[in-house]
Amino acid sequence: MRIRDLALFGAVMLAGAVGGSLLGPRAAEAVARELIELQRDVTTLLQGQKEHSTANTQEHTVLKTLLEQSNDNVTKLSGTMGSLQKSVQDVQANSGSRLDSMTTQVQGLSDNLEEIKSRLGKLNQQLVDLQNSVQSVDAKISGAAPATGTASPTASTAGSSAMPAGAPSADTLYSNGLRDITSGKYDLARSEFQDYLKYYGDTDLASNAQFYLGEISFKQKQFADAVASYEKVLTNYPKSFKLAPARLRKGMALIELGQKNSAVREFREVVRRYPGTEEDRQARAKLKELGVAATATR
């Protein structure tokens, strides 16, 4: 716009110069000087325009390079996000099985704790029996009657089926079964727990072995067998500390079999019998998921 104005001004000045030449020498000389200044201004303006154009070209090149680098970074970031999303999906897919394995391990630790408590109780009773036996022997040796108020020796724990020579002990069988169910060797674990029940069915951990047979069937999607195993825990071992988890898991197996009403009854029994426990919390969650109340309406 400024160049056009200057050109127009130059044309006017040229016309004035021509007119001035007709007027006189002095006027023509003044016009000539103005023309020279005008040409110098036009030259300066054109040079500035050229430099400005060059600077714009350089800036455009820089911006283009930055834009390409940004696109590359966005592409790399998209790839990274895709990999991260896949990793998250893999973790979510595996979290269920890992949580299940951790739950089994925790159950195993709980079993071991209960077994230790039971053994301590038995050792204490055996110590009392031993003291009574020593007192009885001392009394017989001295020819006197046993001291008044001492308890008679108690009978030892009832025996079970004879274990073949060289076969694993109760502790070994039980520990191996827990290890194998945790590592996913379900068939081997089933065999070990079945042997435990066969040869050590009268021990404190027999109900646990029966419970884990139900867990193995559940993990292998043999839900009818799982229900039967859990029911044996409830029926054959009324003092077992696996009653609450057995009833809860029985309800979950019934859900898998499509027996909603029976499952609801089991979950409500868990809520009624074992308030405040982890099984109570899980049973309430399942009942809510099924859209029914935690207690039956009369």
Side-chain angles (χ1 to χ4, degrees):
M1 185 70 181
R2 186 179 175 187
I3 295 174
R4 188 180 64 182
D5 292 340
L6 289 174
L8 181 60
F9 180 70
V12 173
M13 292 298 294
L14 180 60
V18 173
S21 63
L22 299 176
L23 296 175
R26 289 187 178 179
E29 183 179 351
V31 171
R33 282 198 304 270
E34 291 179 0
L35 284 176
I36 293 173
E37 292 176 0
L38 178 61
Q39 289 176 350
R40 185 170 58 248
D41 291 342
V42 171
T43 301
T44 302
L45 180 60
L46 291 175
Q47 182 64 31
Q49 187 72 16
K50 182 178 179 181
E51 291 175 354
H52 182 68
S53 177
T54 302
N56 284 342
T57 302
Q58 292 175 348
E59 290 179 1
H60 176 73
T61 302
V62 172
L63 289 175
K64 182 179 179 182
T65 302
L66 292 175
L67 181 60
E68 291 175 350
Q69 291 176 350
S70 298
N71 288 334
D72 291 341
N73 291 334
V74 169
T75 301
K76 291 178 181 179
L77 181 59
S78 298
T80 302
M81 289 297 295
S83 301
L84 181 59
Q85 184 177 12
K86 185 177 184 303
S87 299
V88 171
Q89 291 173 347
D90 292 341
V91 170
Q92 290 176 339
N94 295 330
S95 61
S97 59
R98 291 180 180 175
L99 180 60
D100 194 35
S101 176
M102 290 177 63
T103 301
T104 303
Q105 291 175 358
V106 171
Q107 289 177 343
L109 291 174
S110 177
D111 295 346
N112 291 337
L113 179 60
E114 293 296 328
E115 181 186 15
I116 290 172
K117 291 180 180 178
S118 175
R119 289 184 177 182
L120 287 175
K122 288 183 177 180
L123 287 174
N124 184 61
Q125 183 61 50
Q126 289 174 3
L127 180 59
V128 173
D129 294 344
L130 181 59
Q131 289 175 341
N132 291 337
S133 298
V134 170
Q135 290 176 355
S136 178
V137 170
D138 288 344
K140 289 179 181 179
I141 291 176
S142 62
T148 303
T150 58
S152 60
T154 58
S156 60
T157 304
S160 55
S161 300
M163 191 71 179
S169 66
D171 288 343
T172 301
L173 265 179
Y174 189 83
S175 298
N176 289 347
L178 280 180
R179 179 199 63 210
D180 291 331
I181 191 176
T182 301
S183 60
K185 300 176 182 178
Y186 299 134
D187 292 335
L188 181 57
R190 176 185 285 111
S191 176
E192 289 161 342
F193 285 126
Q194 287 174 341
D195 285 345
Y196 188 95
L197 289 174
K198 180 178 180 181
Y199 299 111
Y200 306 106
D202 57 353
T203 62
D204 294 331
L205 293 178
S207 63
N208 295 26
Q210 183 63 61
F211 174 81
Y212 286 123
L213 287 175
E215 291 290 270
I216 291 170
S217 296
F218 194 102
K219 293 174 187 296
Q220 293 185 323
K221 301 186 183 303
Q222 299 168 358
F223 300 113
D225 292 340
V227 169
S229 292
Y230 296 136
E231 183 59 33
K232 286 182 179 179
V233 176
L234 300 173
T235 303
N236 299 340
Y237 307 96
K239 296 183 179 180
S240 171
F241 61 91
K242 285 293 186 185
L243 295 180
R247 193 172 292 277
L248 175 69
R249 297 291 286 172
K250 179 185 175 184
M252 292 183 175
L254 289 169
I255 288 291
E256 297 294 337
L257 291 172
Q259 301 178 25
K260 177 181 176 180
N261 292 336
S262 298
V264 167
R265 285 196 295 271
E266 295 297 332
F267 293 142
R268 284 174 172 169
E269 278 297 295
V270 173
V271 172
R272 185 177 69 85
R273 292 172 181 261
Y274 314 105
T277 63
E278 175 62 20
E279 288 77 17
D280 173 33
R281 185 190 67 78
Q282 293 185 36
R284 289 178 182 274
K286 292 300 293 185
L287 289 168
K288 183 177 181 181
E289 181 181 322
L290 294 171
V292 297
T295 56
T297 55
R298 296 183 181 275

